[in-house]
Amino acid sequence: MPKKKLIFLGSTVIVAILVGAFIWKVMTPKKVETAYKNYEGRVFYEIFVRAFNDSNNDGIGDLKGITAKLDYLEDLGIRGLWLMPITKATSYHGYDTEDYYQIDEDYGTLEDLKELIKEAHKRDIKVVMDLVINHTSSQHPYFKEASKDEKSAYRDYYIWTTDMSKEFERSPMATMAWARNGTKQELYYAMFDKGMPELNYDNPKVEEEMKQVAKYYLDMDIDGFRLDAAKWIYNEKEKNIDFWNRFQEYVHEQSPEAILIGEVWDAPYNICEYAGVLDSFFDFNVGESILNGINNGSLSNVVYNYKMIEEMYKEEKASFVLAPFLTNHDQNRVMNILREDTDKMKVAAAIYLTLPGTPFVYYGEEIGMTGAKPDEHIREPFIWSGTDREQNTTWIDSTNDVAKVALDTQIEDSGSLYHLYREIIHLRNTYQALSIGDIEEVKTPNGKVFAMKRAYENEVIYIVANLNNEQQEVILDEGTYKALFSSLNDQGQLDTQYNNQVTLKTGEILIVLKQN
């Protein structure tokens, strides 16, 4: 086992109380945007299909609706999509699969998926889909047969016991582990929900069948899979690691460039071994640290911590790519955590969108959508228009301030959150230092000045922010600098040239490119 470095995860990360209204400006880069050859460095966009865009006026988002909005996503700078579950399922969320080989009828058809992939690839946008293989729905034909007949060929696809004393046993997640099979004196293992019986991977036929599911979609040119609850194929880490190693070998034999992105939600020390068998996974700790730091009004080692975490994972596999994000479909939305403070949200976005790896934007985050548990309200309709409400899906009533967050409103406002996302993502796409460059911590005059350095070959870019109530000086490497991005209060003017000593106004965020 490689030696692991000490990481102070308890440190808070950043403070961001910005003063006044900002005028957001970007100096148009002369370079063209990077044509990515692989997964690393892209910005991905997570979509709950039901909520995104409706193509047939039934109020429910669908695959054709996403295809219709690819131009929007391309213009935003998105270079990858993660589709939350799209296969036939029992529940609205799709994590209880009834048929792995069919698209949920609300979302369209297999032909619609093929068309979405084809059109996305024309725009250099990769497409990955949720693959939920821990469990099926209790309405899956295999489970329905197995639950009725102990002699069924599918009985051993699931985990059973007649020890009724286990009925109130807790799983390693502290959930109820077992569910009763109707009125029978027997239980089946279902650690997530009684409607989602866990599959038995001690049966080799189950593993083989799920490999065939993966091949089915790889043959349609899907670019890879987001692996739901990757920690819980087994309740033992060693057996999990062995399983995912076999699975990734099979997937990469079928498609060498396929991406396997794991949901492995735990402290870095507990999950680093997964970096040796997966291509990427989400870093929950970084997002939580950024948001906690902003709310706590203090700054510490975000760059140091991120760099140490990334290095620890790369010791397991050099090609591993970390996936930073702020929140996703399992967490309250960012704007709720930041108490609907758009200025704080802008700072959080500016930081994580310039970190190494492959950032993931949760749909609606770029327009400041709100949402708090229960889960349905974290997955509300994307607000395309505040005036023409028929443009928005209606699968559930929105609790958002529609007039405020609507995309059409934000497009008209140059200082909106949407414009910040678009501008920073395009900078990331243009400069390799921001997408695939190294990261370094930069010494600052005090704890309320944030600074990091990104460098790739001869390209050097600094991201700095002054979180004090007065202007601050930051010393960069010797040289001259061009401003690529600046946020200034409404009294400020954007300077385009800097020497190595940069004066930051109160609340200013600055991205500069070293010229010599």
Side-chain angles (χ1 to χ4, degrees):
M1 182 69 63
K3 183 178 180 181
K4 299 171 180 62
K5 298 177 175 64
L6 181 63
I7 302 167
F8 297 97
L9 289 174
S11 302
T12 54
V13 180
I14 206 159
V15 63
I17 301 176
L18 302 181
V19 180
F22 288 139
I23 298 174
W24 298 88
K25 299 182 181 179
V26 170
M27 306 304 293
T28 303
K30 295 180 180 179
K31 300 176 67 175
V32 298
E33 294 195 8
T34 302
Y36 291 100
K37 295 182 179 179
N38 52 30
Y39 166 74
E40 183 177 9
R42 294 171 181 259
V43 177
F44 268 65
Y45 192 85
E46 178 189 357
I47 297 178
F48 180 50
V49 181
R50 188 173 300 275
F52 193 60
N53 187 49
D54 172 22
S55 71
N56 59 2
N57 298 317
D58 65 356
I60 297 174
D62 47 46
L63 295 174
K64 283 185 176 181
I66 298 173
T67 303
K69 293 297 185 181
L70 285 174
D71 288 345
Y72 163 72
L73 294 166
E74 182 182 25
D75 182 68
L76 183 60
I78 298 302
R79 292 294 176 264
L81 304 180
W82 158 21
L83 306 179
M84 288 173 63
I86 58 174
T87 53
K88 181 175 173 59
T90 304
S91 300
Y92 83 94
H93 51 69
Y95 285 98
D96 48 356
T97 308
E98 283 188 37
D99 188 341
Y100 287 98
Y101 296 97
Q102 292 296 325
I103 301 300
D104 192 283
E105 61 184 13
D106 284 340
Y107 292 167
T109 67
L110 289 167
E111 291 305 314
D112 294 338
L113 176 61
K114 293 175 185 177
E115 182 69 12
L116 170 57
I117 295 169
K118 182 181 76 172
E119 290 300 317
H121 286 173
K122 286 181 182 178
R123 295 164 172 82
D124 188 30
I125 297 174
K126 289 185 178 291
V127 182
V128 302
M129 59 181 282
D130 245 307
L131 188 63
V132 187
I133 61 174
N134 304 67
H135 43 251
T136 69
S137 168
S138 58
Q139 300 304 306
H140 191 289
Y142 290 177
F143 184 78
K144 290 173 75 174
E145 184 175 325
S147 65
K148 292 177 182 178
D149 183 3
E150 293 181 18
K151 296 181 180 180
S152 165
Y154 300 112
R155 180 74 174 186
D156 198 35
Y157 275 47
Y158 300 91
I159 303 166
W160 304 88
T161 184
T162 56
D163 181 357
M164 300 305 291
S165 68
K166 291 180 175 287
E167 188 166 9
F168 301 104
E169 184 177 280
R170 294 281 176 173
S171 76
M173 295 195 308
T175 58
M176 300 302 293
W178 298 89
R180 185 187 287 262
N181 184 19
T183 59
K184 296 181 179 181
Q185 292 296 298
E186 64 181 15
L187 307 170
Y188 58 90
Y189 197 64
M191 66 188 297
F192 285 90
D193 183 85
K194 66 180 181 180
M196 296 188 286
E198 299 296 311
L199 287 162
N200 175 22
Y201 279 90
D202 286 329
N203 179 352
K205 292 180 180 179
V206 174
E207 180 175 327
E208 182 57 32
E209 186 140 350
M210 292 307 161
K211 288 177 178 177
Q212 294 308 307
V213 171
K215 184 178 187 301
Y216 183 73
Y217 289 100
L218 291 169
D219 288 346
M220 291 184 200
D221 287 334
I222 202 80
D223 294 296
F225 305 101
R226 180 263 185 183
L227 305 169
D228 185 59
K231 278 182 59 183
W232 303 114
I233 295 295
Y234 297 95
N235 289 342
E236 302 170 42
K237 182 191 290 187
E238 186 174 343
K239 292 179 74 172
N240 271 323
I241 297 296
D242 288 344
F243 168 81
W244 287 119
N245 190 47
R246 296 191 301 271
F247 190 84
Q248 67 84 19
E249 286 180 350
Y250 177 83
V251 165
H252 290 131
E253 284 172 4
Q254 305 304 312
S255 177
E257 295 184 1
I259 307 155
L260 293 178
I261 311 160
E263 180 198 34
V264 195
W265 195 343
D266 207 336
Y269 279 120
N270 294 335
I271 62 177
C272 63
E273 290 91 343
Y274 289 89
V277 296
L278 299 176
D279 300 308
S280 180
F281 52 67
F282 302 101
D283 196 315
F284 287 83
N285 298 282
V286 167
E288 290 171 2
S289 296
I290 291 173
L291 299 179
N292 288 340
I294 289 174
N295 278 334
N296 292 338
S298 63
L299 177 98
S300 63
N301 301 318
V302 61
V303 175
Y304 173 81
N305 287 342
Y306 192 89
K307 185 176 181 179
M308 292 301 101
I309 290 171
E310 184 181 50
E311 288 180 356
M312 181 176 70
Y313 294 150
K314 285 183 177 291
E315 285 181 356
E316 298 288 339
K317 185 171 65 178
S319 62
F320 178 82
V321 178
L322 201 53
F325 71 104
L326 294 178
T327 63
N328 66 18
H329 65 280
D330 284 322
Q331 302 163 295
N332 291 343
R333 280 190 175 268
V334 185
M335 285 296 280
N336 290 69
I337 296 172
L338 296 179
R339 305 179 187 112
E340 301 188 34
D341 188 322
T342 302
D343 290 338
K344 289 182 178 181
M345 179 69 201
K346 289 174 177 177
V347 174
I351 293 170
Y352 99 96
L353 290 172
T354 56
L355 287 172
T358 298
F360 277 71
V361 176
Y362 186 37
Y363 83 95
E365 177 187 307
E366 76 275 22
I367 55 175
M369 281 178 56
T370 58
K373 286 179 177 289
D375 287 349
E376 291 87 339
H377 290 292
I378 307 168
R379 306 168 190 181
E380 290 185 2
F382 186 95
I383 308 301
W384 297 100
S385 177
T387 54
D388 181 5
R389 302 297 176 89
E390 291 185 1
Q391 292 188 36
N392 311 324
T393 69
T394 55
W395 87 270
I396 189 175
D397 291 338
S398 178
T399 61
N400 274 262
D401 183 343
V402 173
K404 179 180 178 181
V405 305
L407 177 66
D408 58 2
T409 299
Q410 296 211 17
I411 286 175
E412 297 300 317
D413 176 6
S414 64
S416 69
L417 185 61
Y418 159 76
H419 280 289
L420 173 123
Y421 267 78
R422 183 179 181 277
E423 290 158 2
I424 291 183
I425 291 172
H426 278 275
L427 282 177
R428 183 184 181 92
N429 290 344
T430 300
Y431 293 96
Q432 289 180 297
L434 290 178
S435 58
I436 58 174
D438 295 330
I439 183 173
E440 287 185 26
E441 192 173 26
V442 177
K443 184 178 180 180
T444 60
N446 58 66
K448 289 189 175 182
V449 177
F450 169 82
M452 69 175 167
K453 175 182 177 181
R454 302 293 311 279
Y456 182 80
E457 296 180 346
N458 295 324
E459 191 174 85
V460 176
I461 293 177
Y462 285 85
I463 303 93
V464 292
N466 176 21
L467 309 170
N468 289 272
N469 292 324
E470 56 187 19
Q471 72 177 29
Q472 298 287 310
E473 305 291 333
V474 178
I475 305 299
L476 311 181
D477 291 339
E478 194 70 35
T480 59
Y481 294 83
K482 174 185 177 181
L484 301 177
F485 173 89
S486 178
S487 65
L488 300 170
N489 64 41
D490 55 6
Q491 301 300 314
Q493 297 295 322
L494 178 63
D495 295 326
T496 59
Q497 296 291 332
Y498 294 84
N499 293 319
N500 63 304
Q501 180 169 304
V502 175
T503 299
L504 293 170
K505 297 180 175 64
T506 298
E508 184 174 10
I509 303 168
L510 184 66
I511 301 176
V512 295
L513 171 69
K514 187 177 183 186
Q515 296 189 293
N516 58 52

